[in-house]
Amino acid sequence: MSEVKISAEPRTEFGKGGARRTRRAGKVPAVLYGHGEKPKHIALPAREFAAAIRKGGANQLFAIEVSDGTQVLALPKAIQRDPIKDTFEHVDLLLVRRGEKVTVEVPVELTGEAAQDTLIVHDHDTLSVTADATKVPDHLEASIAGAEPGVQVTAADVQLPAGVELAADPELPVATVTAAPTAEQLEATLPEVEEAAEEAEAEVGEETAEAPEGVPAAEAEEAAAEAKTEA
C-alpha cells in the first residue's frame, strides 16, 4: 500500500469543546503516539483524510507533515466515526518506521461462488497479521469457490501476500458454508415470526395505555426508564 502525504497542524485546544471547534473548522482531531515519544495532538484536514481512508482502507499509511516541521509515518490505530453524519470524530495514529514490523487487523474478502442452495456465514471479517509497516495489504482473500454445506474456511486458508505473516489462530473460523433453508422450512417458521411480532405490538400497546393522561407515550417510557434506573 502506497503512503499518502497529508498536512497537519498542532492542536492546542483539548476536551469536547476543543474537539467540536476543530471539527467545525473542517479538520479531524487526532493524536500521534508510539516509539516511547510523548503523544502529539494534531488536526488533520477532514476531506483529505476521508478520501485516503475510502481509497486505502483503515490501514492506510500516512506521511504526515506537521506545520511545526515534524515529519512522521503513521498508521491509524483507532478511528472514531459519527454513525449518523458518517464523519470522523477522532483518530489515534501509531508512529511507525520503514522496515518496522507491525501487527494489524486486515479485512478478509471471500472470492468465488459456493455450491448452489447454500448460505455463507462470515464468522470473522478481519484477521490479525504481521507485516512491514509500509507494506500492509488493504485486504486479504479466501476462496469459497464450489464449497458445499459443512465446509469451514479458517485463517490458515486465507491467502497471504509475500512478507505477511498470520498473527491470528490458524484455526480461527473465517466463513462457514451452510445449506440454504427450503421453502417448506421458511413457511414453517413464518407463524413463529408473526406470533413474536404480535406479542411485541401487544406489549407496546399496553405501555402506551398505561401512560399518564396528557403525557406522550414516548415521554412516559423515558420517565419509566429513569425511575427504574434510580431504583
Side-chain angles (χ1 to χ4, degrees), residues 107-213:
V108 179
E109 295 182 3
L110 302 179
T111 62
E113 295 289 338
Q116 290 186 350
D117 300 324
T118 57
L119 289 178
I120 310 302
V121 179
H122 211 153
D123 301 297
H124 289 87
D125 55 9
T126 64
L127 274 185
S128 180
V129 299
T130 301
D132 187 308
T134 62
K135 298 178 181 179
V136 176
D138 58 358
H139 74 282
L140 303 171
E141 295 183 353
S143 175
I144 56 170
E148 299 285 347
V151 170
Q152 186 175 69
V153 179
T154 65
D157 299 317
V158 176
Q159 301 171 24
L160 299 179
V164 177
E165 299 176 357
L166 184 65
D169 182 348
E171 297 183 0
L172 182 73
V174 173
T176 303
V177 182
T178 63
T182 63
E184 291 77 10
Q185 290 173 326
L186 289 175
E187 290 178 0
T189 59
L190 186 58
E192 297 179 4
V193 174
E194 293 177 344
E195 183 180 349
E198 290 175 358
E199 290 179 355
E201 290 179 1
E203 290 179 0
V204 172
E206 290 176 1
E207 292 176 358
T208 303
E210 293 174 358
E213 185 177 354

Side-chain angles (χ1 to χ4, degrees), residues 56-162:
N59 290 317
Q60 174 64 58
L61 178 66
F62 289 94
I64 303 174
E65 297 182 359
V66 188
S67 58
D68 63 4
T70 303
Q71 295 185 359
V72 296
L73 287 177
L75 284 169
K77 188 66 175 177
I79 299 177
Q80 297 177 22
R81 295 178 185 247
D82 184 314
I84 298 176
K85 299 178 182 178
D86 194 27
T87 55
F88 295 97
E89 295 286 286
H90 189 274
V91 184
D92 288 353
L93 295 159
L94 180 64
L95 294 170
V96 296
R97 300 188 181 99
R98 299 186 188 281
E100 177 182 4
K101 293 284 188 178
V102 294
T103 299
V104 294
E105 292 286 328
V106 178
V108 179
E109 295 182 3
L110 302 179
T111 62
E113 295 289 338
Q116 290 186 350
D117 300 324
T118 57
L119 289 178
I120 310 302
V121 179
H122 211 153
D123 301 297
H124 289 87
D125 55 9
T126 64
L127 274 185
S128 180
V129 299
T130 301
D132 187 308
T134 62
K135 298 178 181 179
V136 176
D138 58 358
H139 74 282
L140 303 171
E141 295 183 353
S143 175
I144 56 170
E148 299 285 347
V151 170
Q152 186 175 69
V153 179
T154 65
D157 299 317
V158 176
Q159 301 171 24
L160 299 179

Side-chain angles (χ1 to χ4, degrees), residues 26 28 44-52 54:
V28 181
L44 301 168
R47 288 186 178 181
E48 293 179 27
F49 180 78
R54 281 197 300 269

